[in-house]
Amino acid sequence: MTEPKYHLTSYGCQMNKLDSELVETKLQQRGYAVAIEEADADVVLINTCSVRQHAEDRVWSKLGKLRIRKRTEPNLVVGVLGCMAQEHKRYMLSRMPHVDLVVGPSSFGDIDATVEQARTRNAALVAEREPAKTKHEVVGAGMVSVDQGISGDSIKRNVKVRPHRSQAYMSIMRGCNMPCSYCIVPTTRGDEVSRPVADLVDEANRLVDDGVTEITLLGQTVNAYGRDLKGQDARLSGLLRELHKIPALRRLAFITSHPNFLSPDLIDALAELPKISRYLHLPAQSGSNSVLKAMRRGYTVERYKKRIEQLWEKAPDMELHSDFIVGYPGETEEDFEATVALMKELRFSQSYIFKYSARPGTVSAELVDDVSMADKNRRNQVLLAVQEELSAEQNQAMVGQTVEILVEGESKVAGRMTGRTSQHRLVHFESSDQGLCGQYVPVKVTEALAHSCLGDLLAHDAAEMSAADQASNDLAHADDQAGTSDK
Ligand code: 5AD
Ligand code: SF4
């Protein structure tokens, strides 16, 4: 008998991608094989995101298509995983009766057993039915598995299952205890639960022993790490210092931070530890105090700026990434202009911009969603354009510099490879040499594009590169200061 095949589609954040890796580990350990095409799979799983309505709509539409497929393939197992599973639970099964399993993010620990059960039940249901009745009838095994309190992280991770040879994500905490008015994450992901430092150091060592040189730590409020580990004095700064000691680890990043936990000890760690990637993802969300207050973000624009000033005093080369929401209920043109002004003043190097989307069950869903879609679209476009201009200027400043990039793979353009700098900037160069994947190579930047740079691969020697990279970092640093003093 051939092994059963699964196909997994993942939407949403990096945390979801990592969860998907975990689900794949469990299935592969149980003898399942990957189906490259969804059409060839016996088990179709969708790892979902609930942060915005748009993300959910895509899943509802995909489920609609699978319902049609299941008419002719009644044995097919369809599973909804992640945030939408947690959020919609039984409603999912009544609206989509062909769905066989609904598994929330806290219950991935026994996902393989749940899938196996669904396959057995489907086979039994199909065998029991009269052939005539099966023609249009579409029934799923209908299992809900949410909130069992089994954290996926408690499973010893199979470090070999990961999409990149030299890069890996590591979830250091789950959930979120922040009260942001618009956000569904605390509902779908639950309370903050941090993993013990010793477990994380062990996992990092195993990843590095298996060839990983860049680790990105994940958490919804990653810099609040440890506050639930009472009496252990576990903090992100301490964890970074521990992981930094692993000799073969070359880059260490962490996402996503909350401005309220950008503490002096964390700033010191960023300033002192050279392996830490030189960017900080610190979502500001808005540049208007009244909007920030309504969002319950817990800081003012002045306080946000003060924190950044403190950061740049000690670590002036750290680039800033942000998230912004436009069109929050009650946001006026003046509020929006304040956001534009903040973006220009702090010269973020990358921003994700979202149109406000009311999520049922959140505090702000009770408010009138009074900014018209036309205004949301326009503000979104304006902010995107401002960010693009800033990014283009910053990319332009890189022309002529030699940067060290970690090669990630082929670019979308044939004959080009792509990698990232320690600031997370994308750089492409002419080459078809797959053997470069996972290597740190020097590239001389020759051209700035809107979202990335083009450059020439230089002959390299590991020892020489670290000196060249240092020199170019110093240059970049000088440019940054010139940029910020323009304010
Ligand atoms: N509407 C729009 N954007 C949202 N985000 C979170 N919730 C919403 C919402 N209801 C954005 C925030 C957050 C990012 C992950 O998604 O900017 O930082
Ligand atoms: Fe959502 Fe706020 Fe938590 Fe981020 S910090 S996940 S925006 S509640």
Side-chain angles (χ1 to χ4, degrees), residues 51-52 182-183 283 285 323-325 354-359:
V51 160
R52 282 168 294 280
Y182 50 84
C183 189
Q285 310 294 3
D323 296 348
F324 290 98
I325 297 178
F354 305 105
K355 290 177 264 186
Y356 171 73
S357 161
R359 310 309 297 128

Side-chain angles (χ1 to χ4, degrees), residues 16 56 134 168 172 175 185 193 196 245 270 297 311 388 433 486:
N16 260 18
E56 290 206 345
T134 62
I172 65 166
V185 168
V193 182
K245 292 179 191 158
L270 303 186
R297 287 288 289 174
L311 168 72
E388 281 200 1
D433 183 0
D486 275 353

Side-chain angles (χ1 to χ4, degrees), residues 124-138:
L125 281 173
V126 171
E128 269 169 23
R129 284 193 227 153
E130 301 274 331
K133 281 192 195 159
T134 62
K135 203 165 167 204
H136 296 294
E137 195 187 12
V138 188

